Amino acid sequence: MGLADRDYMRARARSRGHARTQASRHAAGRDRIVAIARVAIPVLSLLTYLVLMYGDMKRGGWMPDWKPALPFPESGSVTAARDLSRKRVSSHLAVQTSDANAVVQLFDPDTGAHALSIYVAGNDRVEVPVPRGIWRVRLVEGSKWHGPADYFGPNTSYETVVNLMTFDKGWHHRIDLRRRPDGNLPTRLMVSGPEPLK
């Protein structure tokens, strides 16, 4: 065997060793990803349920709250923005609540300006006229009312309806706040609390 053959054989052995090292690195990386997925999937599933439970606990009044309660506004009463034109009010919204009291709010999706808040007592159903337009709908729920600045205190559940809602002349929408697995109103829990009403 000549020198050229010997060098060729050494280079070939080195490349085989490099290929084995690369294959073992890929296998180790794949094993790490599988191990992370085995832990992450159950943790993320549990986190989803914990977020839902947290909203239910706040609506049910499970958080400590030592402030005295105020009377909740009459069911069906509203707080409207000062610049809201009566001519725009030609659509309707019906709201059915569960055990918690609710304040259903309409906001301008572009400016974030408050247009209307509808007060609905627990286990009640109301239908009120609302302004035409495309609105961001937010839901404020709880049991112990503390007024339009603090809402339900530490037990304030605050959610945003995921999709914008369109109200046109003569339209009737219905929101049912009795949570069910087959419900069709997807919401997102808000981290910050609702802004005080003026």
Side-chain angles (χ1 to χ4, degrees):
M1 181 185 296
L3 288 175
D5 292 333
R6 187 188 68 198
D7 290 342
Y8 168 75
M9 295 302 281
R10 284 182 181 163
R12 189 169 168 194
R14 273 194 302 268
S15 70
R16 279 190 201 142
H18 180 69
R20 276 191 223 112
T21 304
Q22 288 291 83
S24 65
R25 283 184 189 156
H26 287 307
R30 189 173 44 245
D31 291 344
R32 263 187 249 123
I33 291 171
V34 168
I36 290 169
R38 284 185 181 151
V39 172
I41 291 172
V43 167
L44 290 174
S45 298
L46 180 63
L47 187 61
T48 302
Y49 285 108
L50 289 175
V51 167
L52 294 173
M53 287 173 53
Y54 179 68
D56 284 341
M57 287 175 61
K58 289 186 102 174
R59 275 189 293 280
W62 288 58
M63 303 298 173
D65 182 4
W66 291 281
K67 286 176 75 175
L70 299 173
F72 189 70
E74 183 180 341
S75 224
S77 61
V78 297
T79 299
R82 289 188 180 115
D83 60 349
L84 183 64
S85 170
R86 286 181 164 272
K87 292 178 184 176
R88 288 184 67 186
V89 180
S90 61
S91 192
H92 288 83
L93 176 62
V95 179
Q96 170 71 56
T97 56
S98 63
D99 294 337
N101 298 318
V103 182
V104 178
Q105 299 180 318
L106 305 182
F107 288 90
D108 184 307
D110 297 325
T111 64
H114 171 262
L116 189 75
S117 288
I118 305 162
Y119 301 91
V120 189
N123 295 309
D124 198 1
R125 183 185 185 285
V126 299
E127 183 170 335
V128 296
V130 294
R132 292 186 316 269
I134 299 173
W135 303 106
R136 167 74 59 208
V137 178
R138 294 204 169 129
L139 310 169
V140 185
E141 294 177 272
S143 55
K144 195 173 173 185
W145 182 246
H146 293 298
D150 294 330
Y151 293 92
F152 302 101
N155 287 298
T156 301
S157 170
Y158 187 42
E159 297 173 284
T160 296
V161 175
V162 173
N163 300 317
L164 297 176
M165 292 184 75
T166 302
F167 295 86
D168 211 344
K169 187 174 184 176
W171 285 22
H172 292 260
H173 282 285
R174 186 172 61 92
I175 295 177
D176 191 343
L177 297 176
R178 297 173 294 183
R179 273 36 180 211
R180 305 190 306 267
D182 64 337
N184 61 359
L185 186 70
T187 59
R188 181 178 62 243
L189 196 64
M190 300 292 288
V191 177
S192 63
E195 291 187 21
L197 292 175
K198 296 171 187 170

